[in-house]
C-alpha cells in the first residue's frame, strides 16, 4: 500500500513540474481555428481594435492623464493604449525587450537610459514608424537633442523636468538673491546646524543636484564622447565651491533634506517638481525660482541637467504595429496631451505650442521649468552614463561627507570611472 | 530483482532531483557558461565564448577591487561571528539564570528583531538611529552637549555601525539556539563540578561549551554563511543609490552587485559570482570536514 501511495505521490510531483508548460484554456481550440483562418483573425483584430502596451516606471497620475487623452483621441481609429507600471523598468526591458508576447510595444521613461537600450538593439528609430520632421515640428529643441543617440531619434519627448529653487514664503526673509554668493551669505546667516535649522538644503552629494554648479563652472561629469570629467579643473573648482554650501546643508540625503523643508526647518530646497505634492500636503506657502536666475561667481547661470520623459518604440512593435504606433506617438506629442499634463500634473510639456495656452501661462512652476530649460543641459544618454553616477556620487560624498582632499579624490574616482566604463565593454 | 531494488530509491528521489536540477543546478551551470562569454551591453544577443578572460580580469586586475572586497568580507565575517557568539552566549546564560523572573517575556522581546523584515529594520536604523538630524544617537549626543556626528561617512565607523545592526538582527537566532542547547546540559555535571570546587570559567570551558558544541555548530555554520554573503545591511546603510554616505565599504557581494547591475557586464559579474560560489563551497567543505573529525 505504502509503495502504491508513494508511487502516486511521485507521479503527482513529476506531473506538477510540468504544470506550467500546459496550454491556456481554449488555446488549443484557438490554435486549430488559426489554421487557414488568418484573414478572419485580421478582420477580427480590426473590429476589436489594436491594443498597445506602454510600460513605465513613473507617476500613475501622469500616466493616467496621457492614457485617457490618447484613448479618447484614437477611439475612432480603434486603437487603445494601456500604461503598465513596471518597477526597475530598464531591467524589465532587458528581459522582455525582444519578447513579442510578454513584452511591451512601447515604453515611457527618462531619456538617459536611451543609449543603453539602443545599444542592446531592442529599440526602433522613430523614423521607422513616422515622419520625424512632421512629428517634431512643435517640439522643444533641447528635448529633441536629448532623445537622439548617435544622430538617430529613438524617443518622442513628452515632457521634461529640471531642478528648481523652492522656498517657503513663510520662512524666507527678504528677496531671494540673484547670485550664488548672496545665497551663501543668506545661508550663513540663517543656518544653525546644532539647532537643526537651515537656510537652504540640497542633496549636496547627489551628482544630479550638484550638476548645476559643475555645468555652470564649465566642467562636466561626462562628455558626449563618454569621457569622464571628474578631474577636470572646472569640475574640481565647482565641487570646491559646492563644498562650502554642503557644510550648511545637513547630510544631503534625500529623505533628510525633504523632511527638513517639509517640517519648516529649512527655508528653501533645491529640488524637482516631484517634491511639490509633499510640500503642498505639508501646507507650505511655496515660492519658486528658476535656477537659471542665479549667477555663479564666473558670471554664468546655474545650469542643471534636464531629464526628458518620452516614449520609445520596441523593434518588434515597429515592425508589426507600425501604423498604430505612429498614431499613438502623434497623440502623445500633441498639444492636447501637453496642456493636460501642465494643468493636471504640473509637467512642463515638450510641445512649444502648449505655452500659448492661458491656463499654462498661469502655471508658475511649469514656466520656471521652461525658463530653466534655457540653461539646462540634457543628461547624457550614452550607455557609459549608467556607470558614471556611482563614481561621481562617491567623489561628492568623499569630499562633502568624509572630508577627503578634493584633488586626490577627483583623481581616484576619475580612475574608478575609467575602470567602470571599460568594464561595460 | 536487485537492480530493481536499487532503482526504487532513485525513482522516489527523481522529482526532487529534477526540481533541484531546474532551480539550483541549471542556474549555476548557466552562470558558469556566461562567465566564459563576453555577454555585455554591446553583445546582448550576439555574445560568444572568450575563455577565462573574465576570471583574469576579476582576479588579477590590481584596481578591480575584488581582492580588497574579499579581505573586507573575511574581516566582516570573523568580527561578526566572534562578537555574535560571545554576546549570544552570555545573554542566553543570563536567560537561564536560576530565579530569573519573567524570562519568557525577555525571550519574546529578544526575538522581536528577528520577526521584523530586514529591509524595514535597516531603514529604521538608518533613519531613527544613525541619521545626523533625526537619529537617536545624535539626539543623545547633542543633549549631552556634543556636536552632531555622521556615523556612516567613513569606513571604520560605518563598519562598526553595520556590525551593531547585524548583531541586532542576528542575535535572536543565536540566542535561541544557545538557550535551547544550555537547557539540554545535565545539571548533575555542574553539581559534581561545584563539589570539586570548580569556578564559573572552569564550568564554562569544561562542561558548558563541550556539551553545547554539537548543537551550536550547525547553527554557527549557517550564520557564518549568512554573514559572509550579507548584502542588504552594507548596501542599504552605506551604498544605496542616490544616498551614498561617503564610506567605501565593499564586500564581495556588493562588489558583484555593482558589476552585474551597474556595469551590465554579465560575463564579468558571472565570473565574480562563480568565484564567490567557489569560495563558499571551499569554506563549506572545510567546515564540514572539521565537524566530521570533531564528531568522530
Amino acid at each position: 500500500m505504502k509503495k502504491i501511495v508513494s508511487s502516486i505521490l511521485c507521479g503527482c510531483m513529476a506531473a506538477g513540474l510540468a504544470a506550467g508548460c500546459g496550454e491556456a484554456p481554449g488555446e488549443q481550440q484557438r490554435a486549430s481555428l488559426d489554421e487557414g483562418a488568418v484573414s478572419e483573425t485580421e478582420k477580427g483584430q480590426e473590429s476589436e481594435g489594436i491594443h498597445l502596451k506602454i510600460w513605465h516606471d513613473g507617476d500613475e497620475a501622469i500616466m493616467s492623464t496621457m492614457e485617457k487623452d490618447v484613448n479618447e483621441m484614437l477611439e475612432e481609429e480603434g486603437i487603445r493604449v494601456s500604461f503598465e507600471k513596471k518597477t526597475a523598468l530598464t531591467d524589465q526591458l532587458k528581459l522582455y525587450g525582444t519578447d513579442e508576447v510578454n513584452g511591451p510595444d512601447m515604453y515611457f521613461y527618462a531619456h538617459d537610459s536611451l543609449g543603453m537600450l539602443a545599444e542592446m538593439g531592442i529599440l526602433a528609430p522613430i523614423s521607422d514608424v513616422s515622419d520625424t520632421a512632421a512629428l517634431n515640428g512643435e517640439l522643444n529643441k533641447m528635448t529633441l537633442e536629448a532623445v537622439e543617440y548617435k544622430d538617430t531619434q529613438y524617443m518622442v519627448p513628452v515632457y521634461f523636468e529640471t531642478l528648481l529653487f523652492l522656498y517657503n514664503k513663510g520662512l524666507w526673509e527678504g528677496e531671494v538673491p540673484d547670485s550664488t554668493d548672496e545665497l551663501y551669505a543668506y545661508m550663513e546667516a540663517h543656518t544653525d546646524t546644532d539647532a537643526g535649522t537651515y537656510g537652504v538644503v540640497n542633496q549636496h552629494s547627489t551628482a544630479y543636484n550638484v550638476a548645476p554648479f559643475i555645468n555652470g563652472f564649465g566642467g562636466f561629469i561626462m562628455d558626449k564622447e563618454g569621457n569622464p570629467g571628474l578631474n577636470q579643473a572646472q569640475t574640481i573648482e565647482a565641487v570646491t565651491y559646492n563644498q562650502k554650501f554642503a557644510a550648511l546643508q545637513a547630510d544631503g540625503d534625500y529623505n533628510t533634506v525633504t523632511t527638513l523643508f517639509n517640517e519648516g526647518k529649512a527655508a528653501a530646497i533645491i529640488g524637482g517638481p516631484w517634491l511639490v505634492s509633499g510640500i503642498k500636503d505639508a501646507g507650505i506657502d511655496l515660492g519658486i525660482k528658476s535656477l537659471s536666475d542665479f549667477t555663479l561667481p564666473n558670471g554664468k547661470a546655474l545650469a542643471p541637467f534636464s531629464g526628458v520623459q518620452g516614449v520609445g518604440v520596441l523593434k518588434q512593435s515597429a515592425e508589426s504595429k507600425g501604423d498604430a504606433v505612429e498614431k499613438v506617438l502623434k497623440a502623445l506629442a500633441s498639444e492636447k496631451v501637453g496642456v493636460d499634463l501642465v494643468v493636471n500634473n504640473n509637467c512642463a510639456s515638450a510641445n512649444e505650442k502648449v505655452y500659448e495656452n492661458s491656463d499654462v501661462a498661469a502655471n508658475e512652476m511649469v514656466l520656471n521649468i521652461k525658463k530653466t530649460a534655457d540653461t539646462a543641459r540634457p543628461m547624457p544618454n550614452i550607455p557609459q552614463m549608467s556607470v558614471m553616477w556611482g563614481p561621481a556620487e562617491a567623489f561628492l560624498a568623499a569630499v562633502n561627507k568624509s572630508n577627503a582632499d578634493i584633488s586626490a579624490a577627483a583623481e581616484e574616482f576619475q580612475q574608478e570611472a575609467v575602470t567602470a566604463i571599460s568594464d561595460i565593454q | 530483482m536487485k537492480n530493481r531494488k536499487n532503482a526504487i530509491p532513485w525513482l522516489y528521489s527523481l522529482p526532487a532531483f529534477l526540481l533541484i536540477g531546474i532551480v539550483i543546478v541549471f542556474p549555476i551551470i548557466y552562470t558558469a557558461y556566461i562567465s566564459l562569454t563576453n555577454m555585455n551591453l554591446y553583445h546582448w544577443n550576439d555574445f560568444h565564448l572568450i575563455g577565462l578572460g573574465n576570471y583574469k580580469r576579476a582576479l588579477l586586475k590590481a584596481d578591480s577591487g575584488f581582492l580588497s572586497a574579499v579581505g573586507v568580507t573575511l574581516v566582516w565575517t570573523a568580527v561578526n561571528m566572534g562578537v555574535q557568539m560571545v554576546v549570544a552566549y552570555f545573554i542566553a546564560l543570563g536567560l537561564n539564570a536560576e530565579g530569573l523572573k519573567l524570562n519568557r517575556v525577555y525571550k519574546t522581546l529578544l526575538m522581536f528583531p528577528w520577526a521584523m523584515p530586514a529591509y524595514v529594520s535597516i531603514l529604521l536604523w538608518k533613519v531613527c538611529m544613525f541619521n545626523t538630524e533625526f537619529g537617536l544617537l545624535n539626539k543623545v549626543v547633542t543633549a549631552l552637549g556634543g556636536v552632531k556626528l555622521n556615523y556612516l561617512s567613513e569606513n571604520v565607523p560605518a563598519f562598526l555601525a553595520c556590525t551593531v545592526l547585524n548583531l541586532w538582527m542576528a542575535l535572536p537566532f543565536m540566542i535561541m539556539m544557545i538557550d535551547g542547547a544550555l537547557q539540554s546540559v545535565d545539571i548533575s555535571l555542574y553539581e559534581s563540578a561545584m563539589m570539586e570546587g570548580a569556578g564559573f570559567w572552569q564550568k564554562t570551558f569544561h562542561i558548558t561549551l563541550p556539551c553545547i558544541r554539537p548543537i551550536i555548530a550547525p547553527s554557527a555554520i549557517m550564520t557564518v554563511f549568512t554573514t559572509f554573503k550579507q548584502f542588504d545591511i552594507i548596501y542599504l546603510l552605506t551604498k544605496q543609490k542616490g544616498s551614498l554616505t561617503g564610506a567605501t565599504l565593499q564586500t564581495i557581494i556588493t562588489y558583484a552587485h555593482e558589476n552585474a547591475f551597474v556595469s551590465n557586464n554579465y560575463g564579468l559579474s558571472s565570473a565574480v559570482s562563480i568565484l564567490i560560489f567557489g569560495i563558499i563551497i571551499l569554506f563549506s567543505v572545510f567546515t564540514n570536514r572539521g565537524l566530521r573529525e570533531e564528531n568522530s
Side-chain angles (χ1 to χ4, degrees), chain A residues 19-32:
Chain A
C21 308
E23 285 176 321
E27 208 165 83
Q28 205 176 12
Q29 198 183 355
R30 227 179 299 141
S32 64

Side-chain angles (χ1 to χ4, degrees), chain A residues 171-218:
Chain A
L171 285 180
W172 192 272
E173 293 172 12
E175 288 291 307
V176 177
D178 293 328
S179 76
T180 51
D181 280 344
E182 289 170 299
L183 188 67
Y184 180 69
Y186 182 93
M187 288 168 67
E188 274 190 311
H190 293 84
T191 299
D192 181 350
T193 51
D194 289 337
T197 54
Y198 296 87
V200 181
V201 286
N202 183 24
Q203 288 171 253
H204 56 66
S205 300
T206 300
Y208 187 77
N209 284 52
V210 184
F213 291 90
I214 295 174
N215 295 336
F217 270 92

Side-chain angles (χ1 to χ4, degrees), chain A residues 57-96:
Chain A
D57 189 10
D59 187 325
E60 298 275 19
I62 295 172
M63 303 305 146
S64 161
T65 300
M66 289 189 290
E67 187 178 289
K68 185 170 166 284
D69 279 357
V70 172
N71 284 338
E72 274 175 18
M73 290 161 81
L74 301 179
E75 195 178 359
E76 283 181 11
E77 315 257 5
I79 299 168
R80 193 170 62 82
V81 297
S82 60
F83 282 76
E84 296 175 11
K85 190 171 175 90
K86 300 282 172 186
T87 46
L89 181 61
T90 51
D91 291 336
Q92 299 273 6
L93 288 171
K94 282 177 203 167
L95 289 172
Y96 297 104

